[in-house]
Amino acid sequence: MRQIKFRVWDGELMLPAESIQFDTETVEVLIPCDAFGCEGHPIEYDFGNVVLMQYTGLCDKNGKEIYEGDIVETDLGRGVVVFDSAAFLIRNLEDDEYYGFEDFFSLYEGGCYLVEVIGNKYQNSELLGDES
């Protein structure tokens, strides 16, 4: 079973989420100590002011964790990791096609040998070309 993890983009910072608590109009995120150098730090956001990105459970060819919203380089071109139709997919920016991770991942040690995370669409929008 894969590890369930999230990260948070609040418009300025990309932060790991230790836990997430939802209310009717807000989401409270507990940021781990190592992100701020202190004890766990809860931050409350309005739903419209925060983006939650789920960890795919997979790592790229360099061992970096792959999350929704990551921009990846593959042998088929550059793409963005999305969650669609109950699956994590890569939307290729060149032809707007979707590719499943099974097209890129080796079963050897659960790693990927053809995908490299090069940024994310929030902090590195210049990598999207005309998409940004």
Side-chain angles (χ1 to χ4, degrees), residues 29-45:
V29 180
L30 182 63
I31 306 301
C33 349
D34 56 352
F36 282 116
C38 62
E39 294 184 21
H41 183 72
I43 301 174
E44 188 172 290
Y45 298 100

Side-chain angles (χ1 to χ4, degrees), residues 80-85 87-91 98-102:
V80 177
V81 177
V82 297
F83 187 79
D84 190 20
S85 303
F88 289 105
L89 303 169
I90 298 171
R91 184 174 58 83
Y98 286 90
Y99 300 102
F101 278 97
E102 66 276 359

